Amino acid sequence: MGHAFQHTLMDALTRLHRMEGDNTLWQPGTDHAGIATQMVVERQLNAEGANRRDLGRGSVYRTRVAMERTVRGTISRQMRRLGDSVDWSRDRFTMDEGLSKAVTEVFVKLFEEGLIYRGKRLVNWDPVLHTALSDLEVLSEPEQGHLWHFRYPLADGSGHLVVATTRPEPCWGDTAVAVHPEDERYQSFIGKQIRLPLTDRLIPVIADDYVDREFGTGCVKITPGHDFNDYEMGKRHGLP
């Protein structure tokens, strides 16, 4: 249904511009839908009592290409049945010889022109497939949690802050503790150094509007390598 709806619009626009005398090309092609295809291949292998680590990279690659070419045939038949006004002589597949080289050349060109950049980003990591997933591949679900309370002692020995968190596991990655800038309880703590529990590492107390004063104790541990909101806060405050 998705192809039928999308291709109907594309076909109508292609034919309209062609009839208006525009130099019009609808380039047909299919991609290899990396993660989705890998999941299907892994399920097939598991059903046969095998896994990709046993088979090795080459065998899995050949299995994927064979399956992707089958999917490509299905999509092409759908497009022909719909009567899509494409130039079939130009039909391409992302696994075709030469396309990977072309992609590399384009990426290098875009990088040299300053249109793309490379940097550290927080990603969705799939612990089963051992690969990064786009946000589109992830479905977030609410989960009933439990609040844990930790004392973070001040470096000067004058007291401590109590941090409430539902996720104590990544505390070794904390790079700051945040409070709301208008929270009267913690005005004197902002800018001070505190000691991360279970380690000897010192981290700062920062102020950020993102903090919900009503949640827990109003003190939030910031782990930029673990949480997307923490990552954005880390960028704002220059945290590692």
Side-chain angles (χ1 to χ4, degrees):
M1 290 300 294
H3 285 158
F5 175 67
Q6 180 187 27
H7 287 207
T8 297
L9 300 178
M10 294 162 69
D11 190 53
L13 287 169
T14 301
R15 292 176 185 273
L16 171 66
H17 284 281
R18 190 178 291 129
M19 288 189 292
E20 290 179 343
D22 297 330
N23 186 13
T24 308
L25 166 68
W26 183 356
Q27 162 84 45
T30 46
D31 68 8
H32 58 279
I35 302 302
T37 307
Q38 185 173 340
M39 289 176 64
V40 173
V41 170
E42 298 238 349
R43 288 183 187 135
Q44 289 179 343
L45 293 174
N46 292 338
E48 297 167 3
N51 66 66
R52 61 184 167 92
R53 292 177 184 82
D54 295 334
L55 295 178
R57 185 184 181 97
S59 296
V60 174
Y61 175 78
R62 288 191 293 273
T63 302
R64 284 188 60 181
V65 169
M67 199 196 86
E68 286 154 0
R69 292 196 184 281
T70 301
V71 173
R72 179 188 185 188
T74 301
I75 294 173
S76 295
R77 285 193 298 274
Q78 290 177 353
M79 293 175 68
R80 292 177 190 275
R81 288 185 66 188
L82 287 167
D84 289 347
S85 181
V86 304
D87 183 350
W88 286 110
S89 69
R90 297 172 180 259
D91 190 19
R92 298 302 299 272
F93 176 51
T94 44
M95 292 287 198
D96 286 347
E97 187 176 353
L99 279 197
S100 293
K101 184 173 183 292
V103 168
T104 301
E105 289 180 359
V106 171
F107 264 90
V108 171
K109 185 172 184 290
L110 292 173
F111 178 78
E112 290 175 343
E113 293 177 357
L115 297 175
I116 59 174
Y117 68 94
R118 185 178 185 179
K120 285 187 177 182
R121 294 295 301 247
L122 196 63
V123 298
N124 306 297
W125 181 253
D126 188 321
V128 177
L129 299 179
H130 289 176
T131 189
L133 302 176
S134 84
D135 293 349
L136 297 176
E137 305 278 355
V138 177
L139 296 178
S140 298
E141 296 181 354
E143 194 175 88
Q144 186 64 40
H146 173 80
L147 276 180
W148 301 83
H149 294 76
F150 288 87
R151 290 180 179 176
Y152 285 56
L154 288 165
D156 59 13
S158 62
H160 62 263
L161 284 176
V162 176
V163 174
T165 178
T166 58
R167 297 298 300 273
E169 315 92 290
C171 68
W172 285 273
D174 292 356
T175 58
V177 166
V179 298
H180 195 280
E182 298 174 3
D183 194 330
E184 296 178 356
R185 296 172 294 176
Y186 302 118
Q187 291 297 307
S188 63
F189 291 86
I190 297 172
K192 289 190 174 182
Q193 295 282 310
I194 58 175
R195 196 172 300 279
L196 185 62
L198 309 177
T199 77
D200 288 325
R201 190 151 56 83
L202 294 178
I203 58 177
V205 179
I206 62 174
D208 195 284
D209 291 332
Y210 171 75
V211 177
D212 181 358
R213 285 177 280 186
E214 306 303 318
F215 179 79
T217 62
C219 300
V220 182
K221 61 192 221 59
I222 306 304
T223 321
H226 169 70
D227 179 85
F228 285 95
N229 294 316
D230 289 10
Y231 177 79
E232 292 301 323
M233 196 184 302
K235 284 202 300 185
R236 288 197 295 273
H237 294 272
L239 301 176

